[in-house]
Amino acid sequence: MTKIKRKQSGKKATRFRRICIVLFLYCICGLAVTICLACYNKDAKDCCVRGDDKINIDDLLPRKEKQHPQPQPKINPPRIIKLIKPGKHINIPPPEERIGPNGEKGFVHDPKFLVKDPRQFRIVKDEKDILCAPPGTGTEGQKGPPDLAKIRHHIETSQEKRNVTLFCAIYTYSARVNHTIAISETWGNKCDGMLYASDHSNIETGHVHIPSNSRAKFGYRGMVQRTRAILAYIYDNFLDDYDYFHLSGDDIFMMVENMKEFLASDMVREWEEVQDQYLFAGFWMNWGNMEDGYFYLGGGSGYTLSKKSLKA
């Protein structure tokens, strides 16, 4: 019995050694095949080494299969095109819900109404003594007149530095018509295009009915959806007509000349020329429970977007 067991164990050991030898040979063959395949891989040139000799794959390939690097043609950045068809924005009321001054659906206003028909500046009687005070005796003080003269001189002599077009959009509502009248009589007609986005349309005041899907309707808490609706309206109707767009509240006074001079500057132009950079400018704010290093653009003073940004 002992001899039989020894013979069986000897057979098992011999069989085990044979299996190990076969596996070892498979491993050697597999390694050799892998090396050969790598040598014939066009992307793995100069990878085969035998001693100190280096084998070049170009020497192993037939002449007709030899490939030489070709100069790559210069590829221009792709043009940004309108990806959203008019009226197809997400969570924005359809165009037919915009009601015109005569009840027409899908109303689109004339953005140049202030350029074509500028409003005359009127001074309220109660403020006439203050606004029309002799130079140096009003709210500007003694140093005011020289500074105002410099500003006026620069505005009159630097028009070539403002060779961009600017569309101004104001979010408002019917109860704030006095605010939009003040804008129309002062700085509004200096914009190349103007929009008073409101809760109704009125030819006399220039208000345009721009509804949104906000539950707060035209209230303050509905500003996010109102802003989206206004930008969608501009995108659909005036995107290609202007270089820059500014959206703000109705309680600001904007120096349009300064804004356009900034937008026409080399700094902004060079920024816009970079393919993946977009101008979205405004007043940085950190308010409430925001962590340090996080900011948002204040809505009161407004946001300025380039045509490229609005397209994107």
Side-chain angles (χ1 to χ4, degrees):
M1 291 295 294
T2 304
K3 290 182 179 179
I4 294 173
K5 287 182 179 180
R6 285 180 180 176
K7 286 182 179 180
Q8 290 178 349
S9 61
K11 289 181 180 180
K12 288 182 179 179
T14 303
R15 196 174 300 166
F16 179 76
R17 283 196 295 269
R18 288 176 181 175
I19 293 173
C20 291
I21 292 171
V22 171
L23 289 175
F24 176 76
L25 291 175
Y26 270 117
C27 291
I28 294 296
C29 292
L31 179 61
V33 171
T34 302
I35 294 174
C36 291
L37 289 175
C39 287
Y40 279 96
N41 189 339
K42 296 179 183 179
D43 296 328
K45 292 183 179 181
D46 301 336
C47 67
C48 305
V49 178
R50 184 189 301 167
D52 296 330
D53 297 331
K54 188 175 288 188
I55 301 173
N56 195 329
I57 185 61
D58 285 336
D59 297 332
L60 301 177
L61 292 174
R63 289 188 178 183
K64 63 178 181 179
E65 294 183 10
K66 285 187 178 181
Q67 296 185 358
H68 301 282
Q70 298 293 331
Q72 296 295 325
K74 185 178 180 181
I75 301 176
N76 295 323
R79 292 184 59 191
I80 300 177
I81 59 175
K82 268 190 177 182
L83 300 179
I84 304 175
K85 294 182 179 180
K88 300 298 181 180
H89 300 274
I90 298 175
N91 197 28
I92 298 293
E96 54 268 22
E97 291 194 19
R98 294 194 308 267
I99 306 302
N102 298 317
E104 61 272 35
K105 296 182 179 180
F107 177 69
V108 178
H109 82 298
D110 180 5
K112 296 185 180 295
F113 70 97
L114 281 180
V115 177
K116 297 176 180 178
D117 184 22
R119 306 297 195 260
Q120 184 179 0
F121 178 55
R122 298 175 299 172
I123 300 176
V124 181
K125 185 177 180 180
D126 297 339
E127 299 178 353
K128 188 173 182 180
D129 293 337
I130 299 175
L131 298 177
C132 300
T137 62
T139 55
E140 76 279 6
Q142 292 291 331
K143 297 181 179 180
D147 292 337
L148 292 174
K150 290 179 181 179
I151 294 173
R152 184 178 294 108
H153 175 75
H154 177 76
I155 290 175
E156 293 174 351
T157 59
S158 61
Q159 294 183 6
E160 70 282 354
K161 296 182 180 180
R162 303 189 293 273
N163 58 343
V164 295
T165 54
L166 176 64
F167 184 99
C168 302
I170 306 295
Y171 49 80
T172 186
Y173 59 100
S174 54
R176 306 266 286 187
V177 67
N178 288 337
H179 289 69
T180 56
I181 288 176
I183 292 174
S184 296
E185 294 180 357
T186 52
W187 59 270
N189 61 356
K190 297 178 182 179
C191 298
D192 301 288
M194 174 60 75
L195 165 67
Y196 294 137
S198 184
D199 56 347
H200 78 300
S201 295
N202 188 309
I203 291 294
E204 296 298 324
T205 62
H207 284 216
V208 182
H209 178 236
I210 307 288
S212 74
N213 286 336
S214 172
R215 295 178 181 177
K217 301 300 181 181
F218 294 90
Y220 183 79
R221 294 185 179 275
M223 283 311 308
V224 172
Q225 294 302 327
R226 286 198 66 191
T227 299
R228 294 184 67 250
I230 293 168
L231 292 177
Y233 173 73
I234 297 172
Y235 179 99
D236 289 347
N237 299 288
F238 310 113
L239 178 62
D240 295 321
D241 299 333
Y242 300 91
D243 299 318
Y244 295 93
F245 304 86
H246 184 78
L247 173 63
S248 70
D250 58 10
D251 53 355
I252 71 166
F253 186 97
M254 183 166 68
M255 295 289 292
V256 179
E257 296 87 354
N258 287 359
M259 173 71 79
K260 295 180 73 172
E261 189 167 337
F262 165 72
L263 296 174
S265 65
D266 292 339
M267 179 178 65
V268 173
R269 179 181 54 79
E270 291 171 3
W271 175 271
E272 279 285 287
E273 287 177 352
V274 179
Q275 182 177 351
D276 294 326
Q277 290 184 171
Y278 305 92
L279 179 73
F280 181 51
F283 183 73
W284 287 26
M285 298 184 67
N286 180 299
W287 184 78
N289 296 323
M290 296 186 69
E291 298 179 7
D292 292 339
Y294 287 85
F295 299 89
Y296 67 96
L297 299 184
S301 56
Y303 331 103
T304 305
L305 295 85
S306 64
K307 178 190 301 187
K308 179 181 173 183
S309 296
L310 192 56
K311 274 187 176 181

